[in-house]
């Protein structure tokens, strides 16, 4: 499955479990936002992050960066509460060192390209699917909810989703999952994840090669319309 996102990024599947301090910080953000009479949709453009990123922070699933803290403070009255709470933020171990730089860039990326062949990409996962993947519980209802969630996301103008058909004997993505992103200052980086480690790619020549490979995959995959049609058939619609 290949996904192109030209907006803010959401939570990633390899994030560690939220700590109490992350959940507490998120609860403070939510309380101040609601006190200000702002929905997540209203608040997101004020801080320059997507509604999904705001939700992830409020639920304690994502570590807020300094920019978020400062922008949220300004949008919510400059009470100082978020700055003070941010000093005590911590997360449980689990985010590998080779992923940290990518995660920071992903949070502010203006464009994000993801190809995944093993499971539904983290940015498209539902909470139930994440629990299913970790705990091997669930069933048809979880899959149906996941497909509905993906179809809803695919309706957004900044998200394009394509599926690589299983019947294709060879395609440019046989080397495995990969991600590409563009920063707000128009720099490109890549990330490739293996079983034991990941590779952060900053070399322009290698990034260019990955971009060409990704473009080739998009031409070999189902069209946007055919991909969504396949998902609807899987859903039973």
């Amino acid at each position: 499955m290949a996904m192109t996102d030209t907006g803010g990024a959401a939570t990633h599947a390899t994030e560690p479990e939220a700590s109490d301090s992350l959940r507490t910080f998120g609860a403070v953000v939510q309380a101040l936002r609601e006190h200000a009479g702002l929905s997540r949709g209203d608040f997101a453009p004020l801080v320059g992050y997507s509604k999904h990123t705001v939700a992830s922070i409020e639920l304690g699933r994502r570590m807020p960066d300094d920019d978020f803290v400062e922008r949220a403070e300004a949008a919510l009255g400059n009470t100082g509460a978020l700055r003070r709470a941010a000093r005590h933020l911590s997360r449980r171990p689990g985010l590998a060192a080779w992923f940290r730089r990518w995660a920071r860039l992903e949070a502010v990326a203006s464009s994000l390209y993801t190809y995944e062949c093993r499971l539904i990409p983290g940015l498209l996962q539902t909470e139930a699917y994440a629990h299913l993947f970790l705990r091997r519980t669930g069933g048809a209802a979880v899959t149906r909810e996941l497909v509905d969630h993906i179809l809803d996301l695919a309706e957004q103008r900044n998200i394009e989703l394509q599926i690589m058909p299983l019947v294709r004997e060879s395609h440019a993505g046989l080397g495995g999952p990969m991600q590409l992103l563009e920063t707000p200052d128009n720099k490109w980086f890549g990330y490739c994840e293996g079983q034991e480690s990941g590779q952060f790619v900053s070399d322009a020549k290698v990034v260019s090669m990955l971009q060409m490979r990704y473009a080739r995959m998009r031409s070999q995959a189902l069209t946007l319309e055919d991909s969504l049609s396949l998902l609807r058939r899987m859903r039973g619609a």
Side-chain angles (χ1 to χ4, degrees):
M1 177 179 290
M3 180 187 69
T4 302
D5 183 355
T6 56
T11 189
H12 194 281
T14 57
E15 288 278 357
E17 294 183 18
S19 65
D20 289 340
S21 64
L22 278 174
R23 283 189 287 266
T24 299
F25 179 87
V28 173
V29 174
Q30 182 173 352
L32 290 174
R33 173 180 60 76
E34 292 177 348
H35 181 72
L38 298 171
S39 68
R40 283 175 179 162
D42 297 329
F43 181 61
L46 297 179
V47 292
Y49 290 80
S50 73
K51 182 173 66 174
H52 301 291
T53 299
V54 171
S56 294
I57 291 174
E58 290 187 349
L59 294 172
R61 297 173 182 162
R62 175 184 284 275
M63 175 74 81
D65 57 22
D66 293 340
D67 286 341
F68 178 89
V69 175
E70 292 303 316
R71 293 173 188 174
E73 275 283 10
L76 299 174
N78 279 312
T79 64
L82 296 181
R83 292 190 186 96
R84 288 192 294 271
R87 296 172 192 158
H88 304 286
L89 283 173
S90 64
R91 70 199 326 162
R92 295 178 185 174
L95 190 61
W98 36 262
F99 183 74
R100 290 172 186 159
R101 186 179 180 189
W102 176 264
R104 289 195 297 269
L105 290 171
E106 184 185 70
V108 298
S110 57
S111 298
L112 179 64
Y113 299 79
T114 300
Y115 168 69
E116 179 58 74
C117 55
R118 304 166 302 182
L119 48 91
I120 299 299
L123 296 178
L124 299 180
Q125 291 180 10
T126 61
E127 183 175 357
Y129 177 85
H131 287 302
L132 166 66
F133 177 67
L134 296 170
R135 301 176 184 173
R136 300 179 182 274
T137 58
V142 172
T143 302
R144 191 174 298 112
E145 178 193 22
L146 177 66
V147 174
D148 285 341
H149 178 63
I150 293 173
L151 287 170
D152 287 342
L153 290 177
E155 292 180 359
Q156 298 186 35
R157 63 177 178 79
N158 63 330
I159 294 179
E160 295 181 350
L161 185 143
Q162 292 179 257
I163 297 175
M164 187 68 72
L166 292 175
V167 295
R168 183 175 289 279
E169 295 181 358
S170 179
H171 60 81
L174 293 179
M178 60 175 287
Q179 298 185 64
L180 292 161
L181 66 75
E182 181 184 13
T183 65
D185 56 354
N186 304 119
K187 294 181 180 178
W188 284 87
F189 297 93
Y191 178 75
C192 301
E193 190 172 272
Q195 291 185 349
E196 300 294 333
S197 64
Q199 180 185 10
F200 179 85
V201 183
S202 58
D203 183 277
K205 291 183 179 179
V206 181
V207 171
S208 177
M209 179 271 293
L210 292 176
Q211 287 175 313
M212 290 187 288
R213 184 178 299 172
Y214 193 90
R216 181 64 174 165
M217 281 191 290
R218 294 192 68 179
S219 70
Q220 296 170 326
L222 297 177
T223 65
L224 301 176
E225 293 78 11
D226 288 344
S227 295
L228 296 182
S229 177
L230 175 59
L231 285 173
R232 293 188 185 101
R233 293 197 301 273
M234 291 172 58
R235 172 62 176 80

